[in-house]
Amino acid sequence: MEIVDSLLKKDRIDANLLGMESLQLLTSTRASSDSMVSYASDVVLTGGDFSDVKSTLISMIANENEGHSDSDDSSASSSSIEERYHRKMRVCALTALANALEAKSASLEQLLDSKEWAGDDGILSFLLSEMNGAQAYPHEAFLAAKCTLNLLEHSSVMRSSALEMGFSKAALLGEEVGKSAYHLLGSMSSSLSKVLSGQVDTVAK
């Protein structure tokens, strides 16, 4: 985790991407041991001893790091490259978050700060924004729907907040886009719609 932290703090965008890719792998049960997945997931969700890692991940999902490239005409090509890097990092960040929520599903109610997730400009609002952009970026919308589903299946508090925020409409959009463009998005959005409508029992009542 020290290496991930160091890479994310460098001024080189390629190093930042490598750091985020490494974090994604550390939260993946296919690439890391159960103990490492658990540890890395704690960092992603709570910060632990590496709060900057969590902050960077959340900022990528919130798109806060976009638009930081030079605005000179001569740097147009460089800006385009940075934009592609940032999109790759956002995908890695969403994947790592989905992995962490799945790994820690049994203890989400205790781990998560409801204000941080469901408050004004909370993490749920960032996930909703990604889902609402399904037509332009269906893969990111799929990952956001996966994060949301993992969360709502195990937290009644987050489920209530998601209903108030309008996730049901975003899930329907995902289902529609999924029918024509991205099957995984449609399937995930359908599962999310069922949880939101109460058709599926959740762990937390």
Side-chain angles (χ1 to χ4, degrees), residues 157-194:
V157 173
M158 298 301 169
R159 180 167 172 252
S160 296
S161 296
L163 284 168
E164 293 177 1
M165 294 171 68
F167 269 87
S168 295
K169 184 178 180 180
L172 288 175
L173 173 62
E175 290 184 64
E176 288 300 316
V177 174
K179 289 178 182 178
S180 59
Y182 199 73
H183 176 71
L184 287 175
L185 171 60
S187 177
M188 191 64 66
S189 297
S190 177
S191 296
L192 181 58
S193 290
K194 291 177 181 178

Side-chain angles (χ1 to χ4, degrees), residues 123-133 144 148 162 165-171:
I123 299 171
L124 269 177
S125 68
F126 305 147
L127 296 177
L128 179 61
S129 179
E130 290 287 358
M131 290 186 63
N132 283 333
T148 306
M165 294 171 68
F167 269 87
S168 295
K169 184 178 180 180

Side-chain angles (χ1 to χ4, degrees), residues 33-138:
S33 66
D34 290 346
S35 59
M36 177 53 71
V37 169
S38 179
Y39 176 71
S41 296
D42 277 331
V43 171
V44 168
L45 296 177
T46 69
D49 295 327
F50 297 93
S51 58
D52 288 343
V53 171
K54 176 190 173 184
S55 296
T56 300
L57 180 141
I58 298 304
S59 72
M60 288 310 309
I61 296 174
N63 300 326
E64 291 176 0
N65 287 331
E66 289 192 351
H68 285 188
S69 56
D70 294 335
S71 57
D72 295 338
D73 292 340
S74 61
S75 68
S77 177
S78 176
S79 297
S80 177
I81 292 173
E82 282 200 32
E83 183 178 347
R84 289 197 294 272
Y85 268 105
H86 282 308
R87 185 180 177 192
K88 289 179 180 178
M89 281 192 284
R90 192 163 69 252
V91 167
C92 288
L94 285 164
T95 303
L97 181 60
N99 290 343
L101 288 168
E102 185 172 359
K104 293 294 182 178
S105 60
S107 55
L108 288 181
E109 289 274 30
Q110 294 75 39
L111 279 176
L112 303 183
D113 181 344
S114 60
K115 291 183 178 179
E116 179 184 28
W117 281 79
D120 294 338
D121 295 323
I123 299 171
L124 269 177
S125 68
F126 305 147
L127 296 177
L128 179 61
S129 179
E130 290 287 358
M131 290 186 63
N132 283 333
Q135 292 178 317
Y137 300 107

